[in-house]
Amino acid sequence: MLITDDFLPVPVPESLSATYLVPTVGLPSVTARTAVGSLAGRIAEPVYGLARQMLDSPLMSVDVRPIGEFPELPPDLLTAFGATEAQLDRLAAASHLVVVQAEYRPGWPPAHEWAARAVAAAVAEAVRGDVVDVFGLQFLDPAAALRSLPDDQGRVRLVDWVLVPYSSDAEGLWFTTKGLRRFGLLELQTQGVPDHLTRAWGAVMTGAARRLLRDWTDGLTGEEVPAFVQLPVLATVTGHDIAVAYGNPEQHGATAPVLLRLELDPATDPDADSFLSLRPPAGHPGPAGRYFATACATLFRGIQPDVRYARQGDAMSQAIATARAGLADIRARFRAGQLPPETQLVVKYGLPGDDGPEYVWAGVTSWDSPDRIVGASASDANTDPTVRIGSPVVVDADDIVDWAVLTTTGVTEGGWTQAVLDSGEPRPTDPRPNPTDPR
């Protein structure tokens, strides 16, 4: 094995496994083969054929067990990873578990994960139940589980398979990935991230995971599974990596790359996990947090706060009125999941300032109450130092002056105030806004 200062040898496990559960009340009324048969024409090849083949091979097992025979799933961790009260109640009421397990060699495709998730989702759909991803400690709606499988071109969204949880300590935020071990790769971690980069750094971690996973699987293409794969010590992350990981391959393609140094942090406890740490390049002056902030600014450049209006002409007033008249309808469509796939709803709202309001954009994450929106800032504000790219924000609906539905190519609906600005309405400052979700 060749070891150089430019590459880091990362050990490869001999085999990988996936486990999914389907809680049921009583014995399930359908077999796995019958359930998978209902997926014909609904999921792409090769996953459909792969699931059927693995069902008929020793690589997969589907068992029905009384729930007491399976180790208890921790409800606090399930809740931390998004479980609802209704899902936890259904789990508590279940008498049996359909246990779907699969094994496969490291490499691409990850047949164990794709086939096991497809079979579990098919069974859950048939019994009108939930899927529990044991690795991720996540409940999955059967429809969402099926959507996470590869399309007819073999593409997946990495965010459907890899989570990026974080916690806080005295040095800042500690980010880790949870999902790369599905593919045999060690999980990533970053420590000392500034608090205001919560969402933005999660996106960077996801992009880094995508880039390193590609390097990892490229090293596993031979007939024999190697003992180690050499990963570059300096990992290059681009906006394109982030966009592809989120299923929007054109969204951030023009940004400059950033470099992150990869280091192996082996666990001292045999029961604990080792990590691949992402750090600034060697010789970077100043604290690591400063470099992480610069990296985010590079990757998400062009996401600027909107202008301050010196005055509002008739056209701008009409644009705001049009946007506000459509708030109830766009909220209803957002909550019902009726917006087109792979789009992002953003809103523009005013922040108070000495020279008048500053208008910034935020991506909407939830809109449960008509008068209150929870989201993530899509820009750094000039007037409020707490409003930074990716920072969580709560927006009063009365402060909204515009909204827009974004795709990878731009605004497809809304954005009336921006249209006025682009048409030449006087404004005291430039640049123009680019209301893009920093994910």
mmCIF file of all heavy atoms in Angstrom, residues 329-346:
data_model
loop_
_atom_site.group_PDB
_atom_site.id
_atom_site.type_symbol
_atom_site.label_atom_id
_atom_site.label_comp_id
_atom_site.label_asym_id
_atom_site.label_seq_id
_atom_site.Cartn_x
_atom_site.Cartn_y
_atom_site.Cartn_z
ATOM 1 N N ASP A 329 -52.808 31.413 -0.176
ATOM 2 C CA ASP A 329 -52.785 30.310 -1.144
ATOM 3 C C ASP A 329 -51.442 29.603 -1.153
ATOM 4 O O ASP A 329 -51.387 28.363 -1.140
ATOM 5 C CB ASP A 329 -53.105 30.846 -2.543
ATOM 6 C CG ASP A 329 -53.020 29.747 -3.588
ATOM 7 O OD1 ASP A 329 -53.875 28.847 -3.561
ATOM 8 O OD2 ASP A 329 -52.091 29.784 -4.421
ATOM 9 N N ILE A 330 -50.333 30.366 -1.141
ATOM 10 C CA ILE A 330 -49.026 29.711 -1.198
ATOM 11 C C ILE A 330 -48.752 28.951 0.096
ATOM 12 O O ILE A 330 -48.124 27.882 0.093
ATOM 13 C CB ILE A 330 -47.896 30.730 -1.507
ATOM 14 C CG1 ILE A 330 -46.612 29.992 -1.915
ATOM 15 C CG2 ILE A 330 -47.622 31.641 -0.325
ATOM 16 C CD1 ILE A 330 -46.742 29.197 -3.186
ATOM 17 N N ARG A 331 -49.262 29.460 1.229
ATOM 18 C CA ARG A 331 -49.111 28.709 2.484
ATOM 19 C C ARG A 331 -49.859 27.380 2.397
ATOM 20 O O ARG A 331 -49.317 26.328 2.795
ATOM 21 C CB ARG A 331 -49.638 29.516 3.666
ATOM 22 C CG ARG A 331 -49.660 28.726 4.973
ATOM 23 C CD ARG A 331 -50.158 29.558 6.142
ATOM 24 N NE ARG A 331 -50.198 28.758 7.348
ATOM 25 C CZ ARG A 331 -51.300 28.140 7.811
ATOM 26 N NH1 ARG A 331 -52.446 28.279 7.154
ATOM 27 N NH2 ARG A 331 -51.255 27.413 8.908
ATOM 28 N N ALA A 332 -51.080 27.409 1.899
ATOM 29 C CA ALA A 332 -51.866 26.179 1.796
ATOM 30 C C ALA A 332 -51.181 25.165 0.886
ATOM 31 O O ALA A 332 -51.119 23.964 1.202
ATOM 32 C CB ALA A 332 -53.269 26.499 1.279
ATOM 33 N N ARG A 333 -50.639 25.623 -0.229
ATOM 34 C CA ARG A 333 -49.957 24.705 -1.144
ATOM 35 C C ARG A 333 -48.673 24.170 -0.530
ATOM 36 O O ARG A 333 -48.333 22.991 -0.697
ATOM 37 C CB ARG A 333 -49.658 25.429 -2.458
ATOM 38 C CG ARG A 333 -50.921 25.713 -3.275
ATOM 39 C CD ARG A 333 -50.677 26.792 -4.309
ATOM 40 N NE ARG A 333 -49.550 26.472 -5.182
ATOM 41 C CZ ARG A 333 -48.890 27.357 -5.912
ATOM 42 N NH1 ARG A 333 -49.246 28.641 -5.864
ATOM 43 N NH2 ARG A 333 -47.894 26.992 -6.673
ATOM 44 N N PHE A 334 -47.938 25.014 0.197
ATOM 45 C CA PHE A 334 -46.703 24.580 0.864
ATOM 46 C C PHE A 334 -47.016 23.490 1.885
ATOM 47 O O PHE A 334 -46.354 22.455 1.930
ATOM 48 C CB PHE A 334 -46.033 25.778 1.531
ATOM 49 C CG PHE A 334 -44.854 25.431 2.399
ATOM 50 C CD1 PHE A 334 -43.612 25.162 1.845
ATOM 51 C CD2 PHE A 334 -44.994 25.364 3.781
ATOM 52 C CE1 PHE A 334 -42.530 24.837 2.651
ATOM 53 C CE2 PHE A 334 -43.923 25.046 4.595
ATOM 54 C CZ PHE A 334 -42.689 24.777 4.021
ATOM 55 N N ARG A 335 -48.034 23.727 2.712
ATOM 56 C CA ARG A 335 -48.364 22.776 3.766
ATOM 57 C C ARG A 335 -48.928 21.474 3.199
ATOM 58 O O ARG A 335 -48.758 20.411 3.811
ATOM 59 C CB ARG A 335 -49.350 23.401 4.745
ATOM 60 C CG ARG A 335 -48.709 24.446 5.652
ATOM 61 C CD ARG A 335 -49.728 25.127 6.556
ATOM 62 N NE ARG A 335 -50.527 24.177 7.303
ATOM 63 C CZ ARG A 335 -50.150 23.530 8.401
ATOM 64 N NH1 ARG A 335 -48.925 23.740 8.882
ATOM 65 N NH2 ARG A 335 -50.954 22.698 9.028
ATOM 66 N N ALA A 336 -49.583 21.541 2.068
ATOM 67 C CA ALA A 336 -50.155 20.344 1.459
ATOM 68 C C ALA A 336 -49.149 19.599 0.584
ATOM 69 O O ALA A 336 -49.486 18.568 0.006
ATOM 70 C CB ALA A 336 -51.382 20.720 0.628
ATOM 71 N N GLY A 337 -47.911 20.108 0.476
ATOM 72 C CA GLY A 337 -46.915 19.468 -0.366
ATOM 73 C C GLY A 337 -47.228 19.563 -1.846
ATOM 74 O O GLY A 337 -46.862 18.679 -2.618
ATOM 75 N N GLN A 338 -47.908 20.643 -2.237
ATOM 76 C CA GLN A 338 -48.340 20.786 -3.623
ATOM 77 C C GLN A 338 -47.401 21.637 -4.475
ATOM 78 O O GLN A 338 -47.711 21.889 -5.644
ATOM 79 C CB GLN A 338 -49.749 21.383 -3.655
ATOM 80 C CG GLN A 338 -50.806 20.474 -3.064
ATOM 81 C CD GLN A 338 -52.180 21.111 -3.012
ATOM 82 O OE1 GLN A 338 -52.325 22.320 -3.229
ATOM 83 N NE2 GLN A 338 -53.194 20.325 -2.720
ATOM 84 N N LEU A 339 -46.303 22.093 -3.915
ATOM 85 C CA LEU A 339 -45.337 22.813 -4.745
ATOM 86 C C LEU A 339 -44.590 21.817 -5.620
ATOM 87 O O LEU A 339 -44.434 20.649 -5.252
ATOM 88 C CB LEU A 339 -44.368 23.598 -3.863
ATOM 89 C CG LEU A 339 -44.996 24.707 -3.009
ATOM 90 C CD1 LEU A 339 -43.914 25.450 -2.238
ATOM 91 C CD2 LEU A 339 -45.797 25.670 -3.852
ATOM 92 N N PRO A 340 -44.116 22.240 -6.783
ATOM 93 C CA PRO A 340 -43.431 21.297 -7.674
ATOM 94 C C PRO A 340 -42.217 20.658 -6.996
ATOM 95 O O PRO A 340 -41.602 21.262 -6.112
ATOM 96 C CB PRO A 340 -42.994 22.188 -8.859
ATOM 97 C CG PRO A 340 -43.940 23.343 -8.830
ATOM 98 C CD PRO A 340 -44.246 23.581 -7.377
ATOM 99 N N PRO A 341 -41.875 19.425 -7.373
ATOM 100 C CA PRO A 341 -40.696 18.768 -6.796
ATOM 101 C C PRO A 341 -39.435 19.597 -7.013
ATOM 102 O O PRO A 341 -39.298 20.314 -8.010
ATOM 103 C CB PRO A 341 -40.627 17.435 -7.559
ATOM 104 C CG PRO A 341 -42.003 17.220 -8.098
ATOM 105 C CD PRO A 341 -42.548 18.598 -8.370
ATOM 106 N N GLU A 342 -38.521 19.473 -6.064
ATOM 107 C CA GLU A 342 -37.210 20.120 -6.139
ATOM 108 C C GLU A 342 -37.323 21.635 -6.271
ATOM 109 O O GLU A 342 -36.581 22.280 -7.016
ATOM 110 C CB GLU A 342 -36.377 19.532 -7.284
ATOM 111 C CG GLU A 342 -36.105 18.040 -7.117
ATOM 112 C CD GLU A 342 -35.204 17.477 -8.193
ATOM 113 O OE1 GLU A 342 -34.798 18.240 -9.093
ATOM 114 O OE2 GLU A 342 -34.901 16.277 -8.133
ATOM 115 N N THR A 343 -38.292 22.216 -5.571
ATOM 116 C CA THR A 343 -38.392 23.666 -5.506
ATOM 117 C C THR A 343 -38.279 24.108 -4.062
ATOM 118 O O THR A 343 -38.423 23.311 -3.137
ATOM 119 C CB THR A 343 -39.730 24.175 -6.083
ATOM 120 O OG1 THR A 343 -40.819 23.623 -5.323
ATOM 121 C CG2 THR A 343 -39.874 23.804 -7.535
ATOM 122 N N GLN A 344 -38.011 25.384 -3.873
ATOM 123 C CA GLN A 344 -37.861 25.970 -2.539
ATOM 124 C C GLN A 344 -38.723 27.219 -2.453
ATOM 125 O O GLN A 344 -38.689 28.066 -3.341
ATOM 126 C CB GLN A 344 -36.390 26.345 -2.289
ATOM 127 C CG GLN A 344 -36.147 27.182 -1.047
ATOM 128 C CD GLN A 344 -36.323 26.396 0.241
ATOM 129 O OE1 GLN A 344 -36.133 25.199 0.243
ATOM 130 N NE2 GLN A 344 -36.658 27.071 1.306
ATOM 131 N N LEU A 345 -39.513 27.316 -1.393
ATOM 132 C CA LEU A 345 -40.305 28.513 -1.137
ATOM 133 C C LEU A 345 -39.484 29.468 -0.280
ATOM 134 O O LEU A 345 -38.953 29.078 0.764
ATOM 135 C CB LEU A 345 -41.602 28.154 -0.425
ATOM 136 C CG LEU A 345 -42.491 29.335 0.006
ATOM 137 C CD1 LEU A 345 -42.946 30.140 -1.204
ATOM 138 C CD2 LEU A 345 -43.679 28.849 0.817
ATOM 139 N N VAL A 346 -39.353 30.717 -0.732
ATOM 140 C CA VAL A 346 -38.643 31.737 0.030
ATOM 141 C C VAL A 346 -39.561 32.942 0.206
ATOM 142 O O VAL A 346 -40.468 33.171 -0.597
ATOM 143 C CB VAL A 346 -37.333 32.179 -0.669
ATOM 144 C CG1 VAL A 346 -36.329 31.044 -0.727
ATOM 145 C CG2 VAL A 346 -37.607 32.719 -2.067
#
